[in-house]
Amino acid sequence: MSYSMTGKSRPRHATYHGTDLHTVQGAFTPVSARRTFVQPPPPGTSTQPPYTQNSPSPSASGPTKVHWPEPVRNYVQRAFADENNAPHVSKQEMEIRLKEVIGESVKNGTLHTTDWPNAPLPQQIILEERKGSTAMSPNPPWGNGVTPLSLRETNNKAYDTSSKKRKSSELEPSQHGQEKVPPWRTAISHNVFENRVSYPDKRQRNEGSAKVQSKSQKRKQRFENGSGPLPQQPFHTSNISSPSPEVEQGPIVGRCQDLEKKYFRLTSAPNPDTVRPLPVLEKTLEFLKKKWKKESNYSYTCDQLKSLRQDLTVQHIKTAFTVSVYELHARIALERGDLGEYNQCQTQLRALYSHQLGGHPEEFKAYRILYFIHTCNRTDMNDVLADLTAAEKQHPAVRHALDTRSALALGNYHRFFQLYLETPNMGAYLMDMFVGRERLVALSNICVSYKPDVKLRFVTEELGFESDDESARFVCDHGGQSFLDEREEGEVRLLTGKALRFFEGAKAAAFKTVDIKGQI
């Protein structure tokens, strides 16, 4: 057994098979480290490794620098020049062929005798080989130049990784006895980007490859249906692009002349024969206004307005008329308490107002503020307040909505119910949705402040009721009839001392969060 020791060794106590190494001097022969894969010389011969082409010469301390002739350098510069770029030859292909040309000349000893200024560039050689006019290699991978290069062979080329599009047959296995591909080319038959993904388990990688092959098979079947298999293309025309999807059609122009049309959710492309053009839609809106005032049939009117909105959408009509349609539908939905349709219209109006198409943006901004009071949505409330301009804050409807918010934030229920009786436009319909909740809060505050009882008339005036009967009915509807005391003089009083705990519970139940359809 031999040991190789280099440098200075520190003395240390060691034994080998019971023998002290310090007592065995000269029991080993130093040998030099192997630098090549050449078989070591037999015993008794010189241990000096033979000089090979890949090993450095004995006299050289390092690799020698190769001095390329000036014509070769100019040839390389011309190959990389922009004006000599070929549209169908990638840079990687050109570099590979350039190395082959220069390496062949070095191997044949013609590096200094080749006419490099007139020698064809690598791009030109590649294009000529593709045309089949020349054959630089004794056994070219594409056969005898007659059979066009298939997509499978194209995918096995090492330089094909620069292709921008993945073809449908890139991952398909060979089935028709194609020529044998060298192993160093088949090693990159998988996705070139797959090595960049870290897989904790090899099974995940196999599953991913199976999914890719399955998708590729489906794409191939889709193209083969009705048109047969994909034809093989020659190499110079192998940039096959998959059929482009159908170009989206622009807005259609309706041809229907009916004023009334039921609403149906679209499941396919709209048919112009069932879509009404803009002049007909304008007549339809006037017709619906008159019918609403006369009959007030909300189910019918809502269905017709939704159909009208659909015809506007499929024709991409965004004008002042569109704004008026959505505003009308939103007002009617508020009147009937349909918050779902109101929110859909309010969302569209917000986008239409951004295009400066007219309408009544201040009125509907006031509605938004009141709606967020109803839903207790402080986040969106802050966004609305931040978007208000100084001019908008001076608008009567917006100013009323802001005052309502301030009164509730300060707990000034007296001011709040005054504003409730003075609501402009259709804001009262929104306030009706949360005024009952705020009346319970006010009743709790009255029970805390006034004991042992108060006149029912005081409650009527403070909470914005129209009569004592209405205020008494409100208390009874919430189960507080036992706290109403009718005196001998005919005066009705509310026993606030006993009703405090009851109205506190009713207030907590009124503020439970309820999801609303179409909430914005």
Side-chain angles (χ1 to χ4, degrees):
M1 181 176 184
S2 62
Y3 296 83
S4 176
M5 301 180 63
T6 59
K8 295 181 179 181
S9 62
R10 295 182 296 176
R12 62 179 180 179
H13 183 72
T15 61
Y16 183 68
H17 294 292
T19 304
D20 191 349
L21 294 181
H22 285 288
T23 64
V24 183
Q25 299 293 337
F28 59 88
T29 302
V31 296
S32 59
R34 293 180 61 182
R35 299 179 179 273
T36 65
F37 292 101
V38 181
Q39 191 71 18
T45 60
S46 176
T47 58
Q48 180 71 21
Y51 174 73
T52 61
Q53 184 178 359
N54 295 331
S55 62
S57 63
S59 60
S61 60
T64 58
K65 183 177 181 181
V66 179
H67 295 281
W68 298 101
E70 189 65 25
V72 178
R73 296 182 181 181
N74 295 335
Y75 178 78
V76 174
Q77 292 179 357
R78 287 193 298 115
F80 283 94
D82 294 337
E83 59 270 13
N84 294 327
N85 288 340
H88 299 291
V89 179
S90 65
K91 183 178 179 181
Q92 189 175 2
E93 291 180 280
M94 187 274 293
E95 291 178 354
I96 294 175
R97 182 45 56 96
L98 178 62
K99 292 179 182 179
E100 292 178 356
V101 171
I102 297 178
E104 189 72 20
S105 64
V106 172
K107 181 178 179 181
N108 298 334
T110 59
L111 183 66
H112 298 276
T113 59
T114 303
D115 186 10
W116 293 107
N118 298 323
L121 296 176
Q123 300 93 317
Q124 300 173 355
I125 297 175
I126 293 174
L127 293 177
E128 290 297 328
E129 288 177 351
R130 290 179 182 178
K131 295 179 180 179
S133 60
T134 59
M136 298 294 295
S137 175
N139 186 20
W142 52 85
N144 55 8
V146 178
T147 304
L149 192 64
S150 65
L151 295 178
R152 170 63 178 173
E153 293 171 334
T154 304
N155 185 60
N156 287 332
K157 297 289 286 180
Y159 48 78
D160 190 55
T161 57
S162 62
S163 178
K164 294 183 179 179
K165 290 185 178 181
R166 176 182 295 178
K167 308 304 183 299
S168 60
S169 59
E170 283 182 353
L171 300 177
E172 292 301 318
S174 177
Q175 298 179 356
H176 301 288
Q178 295 180 355
E179 294 184 4
K180 184 177 180 180
V181 183
W184 58 85
R185 296 190 183 274
T186 59
I188 54 175
S189 60
H190 57 79
N191 190 355
V192 295
F193 297 104
E194 189 174 1
N195 293 331
R196 302 184 184 181
V197 182
S198 299
Y199 294 93
D201 191 354
K202 292 183 178 180
R203 289 176 296 178
Q204 296 183 5
R205 179 171 181 170
N206 295 334
E207 291 175 359
S209 301
K211 291 180 179 180
V212 172
Q213 292 178 0
S214 176
K215 292 181 179 179
S216 177
Q217 183 67 21
K218 291 180 180 179
R219 289 196 300 269
K220 184 177 180 180
Q221 293 176 357
R222 185 168 66 249
F223 290 119
E224 289 179 357
N225 289 338
S227 59
L230 286 174
Q232 292 184 343
Q233 298 291 338
F235 194 92
H236 61 280
T237 59
S238 63
N239 189 16
I240 303 174
S241 60
S242 58
S244 59
E246 295 183 1
V247 181
E248 290 189 3
Q249 299 180 356
I252 66 172
V253 179
R255 296 190 290 265
C256 180
Q257 300 297 319
D258 299 334
L259 293 181
E260 299 176 280
K261 188 184 76 169
K262 287 188 176 183
Y263 170 75
F264 293 101
R265 187 181 299 274
L266 290 177
T267 58
S268 60
N271 184 3
D273 294 332
T274 61
V275 177
R276 295 164 292 185
L278 181 58
V280 178
L281 294 177
E282 293 175 348
K283 297 178 182 179
T284 300
L285 182 62
E286 296 299 325
F287 170 78
L288 293 177
K289 287 180 180 179
K290 296 178 181 178
K291 199 160 188 176
W292 170 253
K293 292 179 181 179
K294 182 179 180 180
E295 300 179 2
S296 297
N297 187 345
Y298 178 71
S299 177
Y300 165 82
T301 305
C302 180
D303 181 78
Q304 293 297 316
L305 286 174
K306 289 175 67 175
S307 176
L308 196 154
R309 286 162 43 191
Q310 185 182 71
D311 289 349
L312 289 172
T313 301
V314 298
Q315 297 180 92
H316 297 192
I317 299 176
K318 293 183 179 180
T319 60
F321 174 74
T322 309
V323 175
S324 63
V325 171
Y326 280 96
E327 287 182 345
L328 175 65
H329 198 174
R331 293 190 183 101
I332 295 177
L334 274 182
E335 185 175 349
R336 290 307 177 94
D338 188 354
L339 286 182
E341 290 297 332
Y342 163 77
N343 285 325
Q344 293 181 22
C345 296
Q346 180 73 284
T347 303
Q348 293 297 325
L349 285 172
R350 187 180 181 184
L352 292 172
Y353 289 147
S354 63
H355 296 290
Q356 306 295 328
L357 298 176
H360 304 83
E362 293 83 4
E363 175 188 349
F364 282 86
K365 282 189 177 181
Y367 296 158
R368 285 178 63 83
I369 296 174
L370 295 177
Y371 174 79
F372 291 139
I373 294 175
H374 168 49
T375 57
C376 301
N377 192 338
R378 297 183 180 180
T379 302
D380 290 337
M381 173 69 77
N382 293 335
D383 294 339
V384 172
L385 297 180
D387 293 338
L388 289 176
T389 63
E392 290 174 341
K393 291 179 180 179
Q394 299 302 320
H395 190 274
V398 177
R399 186 170 64 249
H400 173 272
L402 294 176
D403 292 343
T404 302
R405 172 194 165 275
S406 299
L408 290 178
L410 296 173
N412 189 351
Y413 60 86
H414 178 81
R415 175 61 177 160
F416 169 77
F417 288 106
Q418 286 183 342
L419 293 170
Y420 169 65
L421 299 176
E422 301 171 357
T423 307
N425 301 323
M426 304 187 69
Y429 291 102
L430 275 171
M431 295 189 70
D432 284 340
M433 298 178 184
F434 61 88
V435 70
R437 178 186 70 194
E438 301 303 330
R439 278 173 172 160
L440 290 175
V441 177
L443 273 176
S444 299
N445 295 336
I446 290 175
C447 291
V448 172
S449 304
Y450 301 93
K451 292 182 180 179
D453 53 41
V454 294
K455 294 181 179 180
L456 185 61
R457 185 61 188 174
F458 175 79
V459 176
T460 301
E461 294 175 353
E462 288 297 319
L463 303 188
F465 290 110
E466 295 181 357
S467 63
D468 292 346
D469 292 339
E470 186 179 356
S471 60
R473 190 181 306 110
F474 176 81
V475 174
C476 294
D477 289 342
H478 290 83
Q481 58 271 13
S482 60
F483 304 113
L484 293 176
D485 184 18
E486 187 175 358
R487 302 295 172 85
E488 296 179 356
E489 302 84 5
E491 183 183 43
V492 180
R493 301 184 71 89
L494 177 65
L495 303 179
T496 55
K498 298 179 180 180
L500 174 59
R501 182 174 299 179
F502 174 79
F503 285 115
E504 285 289 340
K507 178 183 70 174
F511 275 88
K512 286 185 178 179
T513 303
V514 178
D515 188 20
I516 300 175
K517 174 186 174 184
Q519 183 172 343
I520 54 178

